[in-house]
C-alpha cells in the first residue's frame, strides 16, 4: 500500500505533483491547518503530514495519529510543532533550513529602508490625496552603523548586503569567529557595545531561554538615542511594551517588526504608533522561497517514506535502518556530550575534536560526528539539525577533527569530545552501557560515572570540606529537591566536580546564593533531552 501524506497548509501544485510522481497517496486540504478539530479527526489515516506555519502539530494531534511517521515543515521555523512529543512518539520532524534565507534577509533590509524613510506612512498619505512632502523627513542608511544581533545564516547575509549599502556593520554573536567576521566584513563586538553604537539594530537569532527579551527595557535604555530597531527573526526577542514606551518618548526613532510575541498578532503595543512599520510575518513570503521550501519538503518526505532516507531531521540522525539498531545509543551519547559542552561554552569555538575509542570507532562516524556537533550548536541555535550543523560549524570557522583509537581502558568503547576556544579547553567523555543508557565517564579529566538527567546542576570547586553541605543546604532551604548526585575529584585537595540531578531547573536566585558562598569556580544548570 502506498504511503499516505496529508498537506494541511498551502503548498505549490509542483510540490503536490512531486508526491504523486513518487507514488505517494497525497491529500491536499489547506483548510485543515486552521481547523484543529477537523485535523484531529482525519490524521489517523496518514503516514506523513506536510505543513507550513498555520498548522499546529500538538501532542494531541500526534497522539491521534498512530500511523504518523514524519512531519515535514516547508520552512525553517518549527515553533508550531511539539518536537518533544514527536520524539516520544517516534515521529521524525523535518524542516527546510536553506530555502528562504535570502528572502528573509531581503525583507529585513526592506524593513530597514521602510522605517528609515517612513515609506508606508508616506504611501498612505499620498493615496489619500495629500502632498505632505515636508512631513516625511527620513535618514540615509549609507554611513550609518548597523548592529546585527546574530550573524548566522540569515544574519550573515544581512551583514553582507548592508556592507554593500555602505553601512558600517557591527555584530554580536558569541559563536562568530574573528575569521568569519573578517570574511563578511563586520566588526565583532559585545552586546553592550552594539547597543550603545548602533544607529539601526536588526535581530537574527532564534528564540531561546538566552535570547528571550534580549532587547529588554533595560537593554533598550542602553541604546543610542534615535536608534531604529528591526525584528524579522522571532517574536519574543524584544519586550514590545518597553519598546512602545521608548518609541513614545522619542528615545527610539522607529521600529519595523515582522514577528510578534503572540501570532497571529491582532493586538500589540506597537500597533498604530506613527513611527512603526509592521508586516504579518512575511519574511519568507516570496514566490521563490515558497516554491523552494515546498519542493524540498516534498522530496524529503517522499525519500523517507519510500526508502527510509532521512534529511534535515531535527530529532533523528541520518542513518540507515540497519545502522540505527546498533548506533542508536551511541548517537545519544554523542548528542549529550555535545549538549554538555555547548551549554558550558559562551565563547567563539575554535575547534571540536571527537575521539572514538574501541568498538564505537568502527561505526558510521559521519552520523555520530553530526550528532555531537549538533549537540554543541543547539545550545544557541535550537533549529540546527544533524545535516546543517557541520555547515554552520564550517561557516563559523570551527575546525572539526575526528580520531579513531583502538580500545584502551576499562570500557569496550567510548566517545570523548574536546572543545577549544581562544580562552580555554573543555573535555567530556561518555559511553553506552549494556542497558543502552548513555553515561558521562569523564569530565575535565576527572573520572566519573554519571547518568544523563533532564535537569542537572554541574559545579566545579576545590576539593575542600563543606561542598556537599553547601549544595544540600542551599537547595533544601529554597525548596529545590535533589533526586540524586554524583561526585568526582582529580586528587585529594585538587579539582573536584559535582553533578546534582534535580526535578526542575533551579531558579536563578538559588544559583546566585550558591555563587555567594565563594566555594564554587563554576555553577552551570544543564538541560538534556532524555
Amino acid at each position: 500500500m502506498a504511503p499516505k501524506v496529508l498537506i494541511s497548509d498551502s503548498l505549490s501544485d509542483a510540490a503536490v505533483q512531486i508526491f504523486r510522481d513518487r507514488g505517494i497517496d497525497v491529500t491536499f486540504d489547506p483548510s485543515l491547518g486552521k481547523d484543529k478539530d477537523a485535523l484531529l479527526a482525519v490524521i489517523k489515516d496518514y503516514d506523513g503530514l506536510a505543513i507550513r506555519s498555520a498548522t499546529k502539530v500538538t501532542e494531541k494531534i500526534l497522539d491521534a495519529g498512530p500511523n504518523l511517521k514524519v512531519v515535514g515543515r516547508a520552512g525553517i521555523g518549527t515553533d508550531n510543532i511539539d518536537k518533544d512529543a514527536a520524539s516520544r512518539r517516534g515521529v521524525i520532524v523535518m524542516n527546510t533550513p536553506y530555502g528562504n534565507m535570502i528572502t528573509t534577509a531581503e525583507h529585513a533590509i526592506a524593513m530597514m529602508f521602510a522605517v528609515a524613510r517612513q515609506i508606508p506612512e508616506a504611501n498612505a498619505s499620498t493615496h489619500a490625496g495629500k502632498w505632505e512632502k515636508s512631513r516625511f523627513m527620513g535618514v540615509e542608511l549609507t554611513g550609518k552603523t548597523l548592529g546585527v544581533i546574530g550573524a548566522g545564516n540569515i544574519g550573515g547575509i544581512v551583514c553582507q548586503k548592508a556592507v554593500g549599502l555602505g553601512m558600517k556593520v557591527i555584530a554580536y554573536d558569541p559563536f562568530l569567529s574573528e575569521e568569519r567576521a573578517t570574511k563578511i566584513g563586520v566588526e565583532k563586538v559585545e552586546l553592550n557595545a552594539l547597543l550603545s553604537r548602533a544607529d539601526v539594530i536588526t535581530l537574527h537569532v532564534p528564540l531561546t531561554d538566552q535570547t528571550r527579551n534580549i532587547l529588554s527595557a533595560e537593554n533598550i535604555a542602553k541604546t543610542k538615542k534615535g536608534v531604529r530597531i528591526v525584528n524579522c527573526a522571532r517574536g519574543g526577542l524584544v519586550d514590545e511594551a518597553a519598546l512602545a514606551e521608548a518609541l513614545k518618548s522619542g528615545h527610539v526613532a522607529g521600529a519595523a517588526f515582522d514577528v510578534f510575541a503572540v501570532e497571529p498578532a491582532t493586538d500589540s503595543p506597537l500597533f498604530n504608533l506613527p513611527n512603526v512599520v509592521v508586516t504579518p510575518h512575511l519574511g519568507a513570503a516570496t514566490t521563490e522561497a515558497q516554491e523552494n521550501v515546498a519542493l524540498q519538503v516534498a522530496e524529503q518526505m517522499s525519500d523517507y517514506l519510500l526508502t527510509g532516507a532521512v534529511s534535515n531531521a531535527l530529532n533523528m540522525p541520518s542513518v540507515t535502518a540497519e545502522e540505527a539498531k546498533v548506533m542508536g545509543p551511541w548517537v545519544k551519547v554523542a548528542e549529550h556530550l555535545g549538549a554538555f559542552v555547548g551549554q558550558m561554552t559562551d565563547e567563539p569555538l575554535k575547534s571540536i575534536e571527537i575521539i572514538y575509542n574501541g568498538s564505537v570507532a568502527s561505526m558510521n562516524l559521519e552520523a555520530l560526528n553530526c550528532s555531537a556537533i549538533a549537540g554543541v550548536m543547539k545550545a544557541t541555535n535550537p533549529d540546527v539539525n544533524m545535516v546543517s550543523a557541520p555547515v554552520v560549524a564550517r561557516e563559523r570557522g570551527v575546525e572539526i577533527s575526528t580520531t579513531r583509537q583502538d580500545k584502551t581502558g576499562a570500557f569496550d568503547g567510548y566517545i570523548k569530545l574536546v572543545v577549544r576556544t581562544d580562552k580555554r579547553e573543555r573535555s567530556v567523555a561518555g559511553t553506552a552501557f549494556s542497558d543502552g543508557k548513555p553515561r558521562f565517564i569523564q569530565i575535565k579529566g576527572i573520572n566519573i560515572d554519571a547518568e544523563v538527567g533532564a535537569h542537572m546542576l554541574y559545579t566545579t570547586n576545590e576539593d575542600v570540606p563543606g561542598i556537599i553541605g553547601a549544595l544540600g543546604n542551599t537547595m533544601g532551604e529554597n525548596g529545590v529537591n535533589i533526586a540524586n548526585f554524583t561526585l568526582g575529584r582529580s586528587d585529594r585537595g585538587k579539582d573536584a566536580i559535582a553533578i546534582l540531578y534535580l526535578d526542575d531547573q533551579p531558579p536563578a536566585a538559588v544559583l546566585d546564593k550558591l555563587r555567594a558562598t565563594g566555594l564554587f569556580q563554576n555553577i552551570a544548570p544543564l538541560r538534556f533531552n532524555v
Side-chain angles (χ1 to χ4, degrees), residues 57-60 62-63 82-91:
V57 185
T58 62
E59 185 170 9
K60 191 174 182 181
L62 291 161
D63 288 341
D82 189 332
K83 293 183 284 295
D84 289 338
S87 297
R88 290 194 300 271
R89 289 276 295 106
V91 178

Side-chain angles (χ1 to χ4, degrees), residues 75-109:
I76 186 170
T78 55
D79 298 343
N80 54 325
I81 303 172
D82 189 332
K83 293 183 284 295
D84 289 338
S87 297
R88 290 194 300 271
R89 289 276 295 106
V91 178
I92 295 173
V93 178
M94 298 176 171
N95 69 348
T96 53
Y98 302 115
N100 56 17
M101 293 189 303
I102 291 174
T103 287
T104 304
E106 286 184 352
H107 193 64
I109 296 291

Side-chain angles (χ1 to χ4, degrees), residues 26 42 80 92 101 113 148 151 158 210 219 234 269 274 285 362 425 431 457 472 474 476 496:
V26 62
V42 302
N80 54 325
I92 295 173
M101 293 189 303
F113 274 110
V148 180
V158 170
Q210 290 74 34
N219 280 343
R234 282 287 180 268
S362 62
E425 174 181 301
T431 190
L457 182 68
T474 304

Side-chain angles (χ1 to χ4, degrees), residues 53 73 77 79 104 107-108 111 202-207 229-240 243 255-265 267-271 276-284:
S53 59
R73 164 72 160 98
D79 298 343
T104 304
H107 193 64
M111 295 286 271
T202 180
L203 298 103
H204 299 283
V205 294
L207 182 64
I229 296 173
V230 178
N231 186 12
C232 293
R234 282 287 180 268
L237 298 176
V238 182
D239 184 332
E240 294 173 15
L243 176 59
F257 271 54
D258 185 50
V259 291
F260 299 88
V262 177
E263 294 186 4
D267 187 27
S268 168
L270 301 177
F271 286 178
V276 175
V277 179
V278 291
T279 52
H281 208 144
L282 299 179

Side-chain angles (χ1 to χ4, degrees), residues 50 63 133 212 222 236 310 364 368 383:
D63 288 341
K133 186 175 180 180
R212 188 180 303 278
K222 296 177 183 177
V310 179
N364 176 359
L368 294 175
D383 287 330

Side-chain angles (χ1 to χ4, degrees), residues 316-317 319-334 358-365 367-368 415 431-438:
M316 178 180 173
V319 296
T320 66
E322 294 76 17
E323 290 174 323
K325 293 180 181 179
V326 177
M327 291 182 57
W330 290 103
V331 167
K332 294 301 292 183
V333 170
S359 59
V360 68
S362 62
M363 295 182 183
N364 176 359
L365 298 192
L368 294 175
I415 302 173
T431 190
F433 278 15
S434 58
D435 60 5
K437 293 183 178 179

